């Protein structure tokens, strides 16, 4: 069942969160859809402009469509993450997406509002949901880099004004996360008082947590033991933080870094331990199974296991 993110959030608000997972290639899509069908959990499959440039939009959407046929008992949305107008209007015109994100968070408030309103008007005319962003996250994602000194937390008063001015369907907020593998190296964690104040001002409005990966220390250690050179001083979003954020209106939690680290771990270990191997399919099978196990745990953590039935009512 293909839905918009607005439809997903209307059911899950305050009860559970829906994972939004960035995909680049076939093995990730197989692992994601397979896990979701087994868990009977709703999910969001999302692509970035970088992924569209890498694999081509038609290839990505065709693989997602094929997965929906292979795993027919899934409930999901297709979302464009961190889009700019050239990508967003192309996606709206050509179809395939049920949700888009306009990332104008680096602009001033008035420009962000104007750009978001234009996207909302075009997307809503075709029944497509819109995610916007207010506040700037530090870190690295795809080809986007933001230094810590240029990041800032979301202002709850501005959130209220922004949502009323733009009519966006959900909002990504900066509450202490960051993109990439080196999040939380300062140990600050999520700023729950910001989420609480936003919920007080806009009860029922869905929020999005970008940079939601956990960055498991064991995974980093295994990568480095197999020849990697990743830093070990980072801490991702902890499980107890996720559980605390969901009742405060966080409906969508983005995952990208954890799956990249998982791919790196599987492939580094495989070729480190089997230097005579060269076929990509063998580690690919291992990765798909590890990816599935990873997602099954995320569905449980986010509280959305066995929640797909909410959308058949």
């Amino acid at each position: 069942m293909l839905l918009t993110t607005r439809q997903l959030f209307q059911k899950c608000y305050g009860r559970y969160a829906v994972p939004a997972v960035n995909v680049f290639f076939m093995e990730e899509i197989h692992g994601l859809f397979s896990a979701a069908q087994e868990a009977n959990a709703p999910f969001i499959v999302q692509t970035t402009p970088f992924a569209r440039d890498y694999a081509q939009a038609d290839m990505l959407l065709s693989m997602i469509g094929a997965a929906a046929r292979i795993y027919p008992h899934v409930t999901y949305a297709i979302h464009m993450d961190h889009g700019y107008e050239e990508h967003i209007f192309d996606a709206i015109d050509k179809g395939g997406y049920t949700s888009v994100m306009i990332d104008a968070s680096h602009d001033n408030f008035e420009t962000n509002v104007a750009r978001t309103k234009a996207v909302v008007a075009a997307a809503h005319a075709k029944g497509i949901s819109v995610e916007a962003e207010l506040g700037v996250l530090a870190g690295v994602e795809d080809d986007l880099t933001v230094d810590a000194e240029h990041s800032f937390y979301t202002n709850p008063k501005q959130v209220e004004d922004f949502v009323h001015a733009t009519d966006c369907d959900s909002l990504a907020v900066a509450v202490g996360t960051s993109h990439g593998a080196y999040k939380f190296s300062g140990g600050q964690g999520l700023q729950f008082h910001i989420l609480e104040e936003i919920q007080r001002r806009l009860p029922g409005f869905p929020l999005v947590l970008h940079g939601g990966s956990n960055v498991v220390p064991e995974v980093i250690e295994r990568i480095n033991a197999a020849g990697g050179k990743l830093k070990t001083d980072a801490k991702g979003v902890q499980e107890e933080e996720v559980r605390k954020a969901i009742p405060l209106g966080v409906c969508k939690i983005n995952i990208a870094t954890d799956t990249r680290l998982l791919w790196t771990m599987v492939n580094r270990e495989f070729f480190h331990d089997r230097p005579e191997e060269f076929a990509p399919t063998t580690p690919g099978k291992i990765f798909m199974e590890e990816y599935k196990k990873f997602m099954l745990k995320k569905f449980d953590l986010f509280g959305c296991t066995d929640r797909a039935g909410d959308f058949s009512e």
Side-chain angles (χ1 to χ4, degrees):
M1 184 185 303
L2 179 59
L3 302 174
T4 66
T5 51
R6 181 183 178 91
Q7 289 172 306
L8 292 176
F9 301 156
Q10 286 173 339
K11 294 281 188 178
C12 78
Y13 184 92
R15 303 163 62 206
Y16 55 90
V18 179
V21 192
N22 286 18
V23 296
F24 287 84
F25 49 88
M26 180 196 74
E27 289 83 357
E28 292 176 310
I29 295 170
H30 264 300
L32 176 58
F33 275 71
S34 176
Q37 180 162 282
E38 181 171 317
N40 192 35
F43 67 99
I44 300 164
V45 56
Q46 57 185 29
T47 69
T48 62
F50 184 87
R52 285 164 56 93
D53 290 342
Y54 173 73
Q56 297 297 315
D58 286 348
M59 179 65 74
L60 289 169
L61 291 171
S62 294
M63 287 193 293
I64 291 169
R69 294 188 293 274
I70 295 167
Y71 307 98
H73 306 295
V74 292
T75 299
Y76 69 109
I78 304 176
H79 177 73
M80 178 185 290
D81 188 36
H82 283 290
Y84 302 107
E85 283 84 351
E86 61 183 294
H87 310 99
I88 292 170
F89 291 121
D90 178 71
I92 291 172
D93 291 340
K94 292 181 179 177
Y97 290 86
T98 62
S99 175
V100 294
M101 179 199 176
I102 168 64
D103 183 1
S105 60
H106 299 78
D107 292 326
N108 61 46
F109 183 83
E110 292 75 17
T111 303
N112 192 347
V113 167
R115 291 177 63 191
T116 301
K117 285 179 67 175
V119 169
V120 167
H124 282 185
K126 294 198 174 184
I128 297 172
S129 300
V130 177
E131 174 186 327
E133 183 168 7
L134 200 59
V136 178
L137 274 66
V140 178
E141 182 172 42
D142 293 340
D143 53 354
L144 174 66
T145 301
V146 178
D147 295 332
E149 60 265 28
H150 296 133
S151 64
F152 56 88
Y153 291 140
T154 300
N155 182 322
K157 175 61 170 65
Q158 283 194 327
V159 169
E160 186 177 13
D161 295 339
F162 185 90
V163 169
H164 289 317
T166 63
D167 196 31
C168 62
D169 300 291
S170 61
L171 189 68
V173 291
V175 290
T177 58
S178 62
H179 291 127
Y182 305 121
K183 55 185 88 256
F184 288 173
S185 57
Q188 71 271 31
L190 293 187
Q191 305 297 297
F192 291 103
H193 67 283
I194 298 177
L195 294 175
E196 291 168 354
E197 179 62 15
I198 293 172
Q199 189 177 55
R200 186 188 70 80
R201 291 175 175 271
L202 289 171
F205 185 80
L207 302 178
V208 177
L209 191 66
H210 283 215
S213 288
N214 184 240
V215 190
V216 180
E218 179 191 354
V219 174
I220 302 294
E221 292 169 6
R222 288 175 62 176
I223 290 171
N224 289 345
K229 293 184 178 180
L230 296 180
K231 296 178 182 179
T232 60
D233 61 346
K235 183 180 76 168
V237 181
Q238 301 301 292
E239 291 186 357
E240 61 270 20
E241 292 181 302
V242 169
R243 295 189 186 99
K244 187 176 179 181
I246 291 170
L248 297 176
V250 172
C251 294
K252 173 177 179 276
I253 301 177
N254 285 17
I255 301 170
T257 298
D258 276 343
T259 55
R260 295 182 184 192
L261 292 173
L262 186 65
W263 180 90
T264 303
M265 182 190 77
V266 167
N267 283 277
R268 278 200 175 275
E269 288 187 338
F270 180 83
F271 289 108
H272 178 271
D273 296 340
R274 302 171 181 83
E276 74 285 358
E277 294 279 358
F278 61 90
T281 52
T282 310
K285 291 177 182 177
I286 298 172
F287 174 70
M288 284 190 283
E289 188 58 34
E290 290 298 321
Y291 194 108
K292 181 178 179 179
K293 293 176 184 177
F294 167 82
M295 284 308 308
L296 289 173
K297 291 179 181 178
K298 287 297 183 183
F299 290 137
D300 284 344
L301 173 62
F302 293 1
C304 60
T305 297
D306 285 327
R307 289 293 190 174
D310 291 351
F311 303 93
S312 60
E313 299 172 354

Short mmCIF file of all heavy atoms in Angstrom, two decimals, residues 77 82 97 115 169 171 246 254 283 311:
data_model
loop_
_atom_site.label_atom_id
_atom_site.label_comp_id
_atom_site.label_asym_id
_atom_site.label_seq_id
_atom_site.Cartn_x
_atom_site.Cartn_y
_atom_site.Cartn_z
N ALA A 77 5.71 4.89 2.05
CA ALA A 77 5.69 6.13 1.27
C ALA A 77 7.04 6.25 0.56
O ALA A 77 8.04 5.68 1.01
CB ALA A 77 5.45 7.33 2.16
N HIS A 82 15.95 16.07 1.32
CA HIS A 82 16.87 17.19 1.07
C HIS A 82 16.85 17.65 -0.38
O HIS A 82 17.90 17.80 -1.02
CB HIS A 82 18.29 16.82 1.49
CG HIS A 82 18.50 16.86 2.97
ND1 HIS A 82 18.52 18.03 3.69
CD2 HIS A 82 18.67 15.86 3.86
CE1 HIS A 82 18.71 17.75 4.97
NE2 HIS A 82 18.79 16.44 5.10
N TYR A 97 6.86 9.90 -6.59
CA TYR A 97 7.03 10.23 -5.19
C TYR A 97 5.68 10.60 -4.56
O TYR A 97 4.84 11.23 -5.20
CB TYR A 97 8.00 11.40 -5.01
CG TYR A 97 9.43 11.06 -5.32
CD1 TYR A 97 9.91 11.12 -6.64
CD2 TYR A 97 10.31 10.66 -4.32
CE1 TYR A 97 11.22 10.80 -6.94
CE2 TYR A 97 11.63 10.33 -4.62
CZ TYR A 97 12.08 10.41 -5.92
OH TYR A 97 13.38 10.08 -6.21
N ARG A 115 10.10 29.93 -0.42
CA ARG A 115 10.46 28.74 -1.21
C ARG A 115 9.58 27.56 -0.83
O ARG A 115 9.14 26.79 -1.70
CB ARG A 115 11.94 28.40 -0.99
CG ARG A 115 12.91 29.41 -1.60
CD ARG A 115 14.35 29.05 -1.30
NE ARG A 115 14.72 27.75 -1.88
CZ ARG A 115 15.86 27.12 -1.59
NH1 ARG A 115 16.71 27.65 -0.72
NH2 ARG A 115 16.14 25.96 -2.17
N ASP A 169 3.42 19.90 5.61
CA ASP A 169 2.78 18.76 6.28
C ASP A 169 3.60 18.22 7.44
O ASP A 169 3.06 17.53 8.32
CB ASP A 169 2.55 17.63 5.26
CG ASP A 169 1.65 18.08 4.14
OD1 ASP A 169 0.45 18.30 4.40
OD2 ASP A 169 2.14 18.23 3.00
N LEU A 171 7.74 18.92 9.60
CA LEU A 171 8.88 19.83 9.70
C LEU A 171 10.06 19.13 10.35
O LEU A 171 9.95 18.55 11.43
CB LEU A 171 8.50 21.06 10.53
CG LEU A 171 9.54 22.19 10.55
CD1 LEU A 171 9.65 22.85 9.17
CD2 LEU A 171 9.18 23.24 11.60
N ILE A 246 9.43 10.27 20.66
CA ILE A 246 8.22 9.90 19.93
C ILE A 246 6.95 10.48 20.54
O ILE A 246 6.13 11.06 19.82
CB ILE A 246 8.13 8.36 19.79
CG1 ILE A 246 9.23 7.86 18.84
CG2 ILE A 246 6.76 7.93 19.27
CD1 ILE A 246 9.40 6.36 18.82
N ASN A 254 14.98 9.79 10.32
CA ASN A 254 15.79 9.47 9.15
C ASN A 254 16.99 8.59 9.52
O ASN A 254 17.66 8.83 10.53
CB ASN A 254 16.30 10.76 8.50
CG ASN A 254 15.23 11.48 7.73
OD1 ASN A 254 14.04 11.24 7.90
ND2 ASN A 254 15.65 12.40 6.87
N PRO A 283 29.10 -11.21 -0.74
CA PRO A 283 28.91 -10.25 0.33
C PRO A 283 27.57 -9.53 0.23
O PRO A 283 27.02 -9.09 1.24
CB PRO A 283 30.09 -9.28 0.19
CG PRO A 283 30.52 -9.41 -1.23
CD PRO A 283 30.26 -10.84 -1.59
N PHE A 311 -3.41 1.11 8.69
CA PHE A 311 -3.71 1.82 7.45
C PHE A 311 -4.64 1.05 6.53
O PHE A 311 -4.89 1.47 5.41
CB PHE A 311 -2.40 2.16 6.74
CG PHE A 311 -1.47 2.96 7.61
CD1 PHE A 311 -0.53 2.32 8.40
CD2 PHE A 311 -1.61 4.33 7.71
CE1 PHE A 311 0.30 3.05 9.24
CE2 PHE A 311 -0.78 5.07 8.55
CZ PHE A 311 0.18 4.43 9.31
#
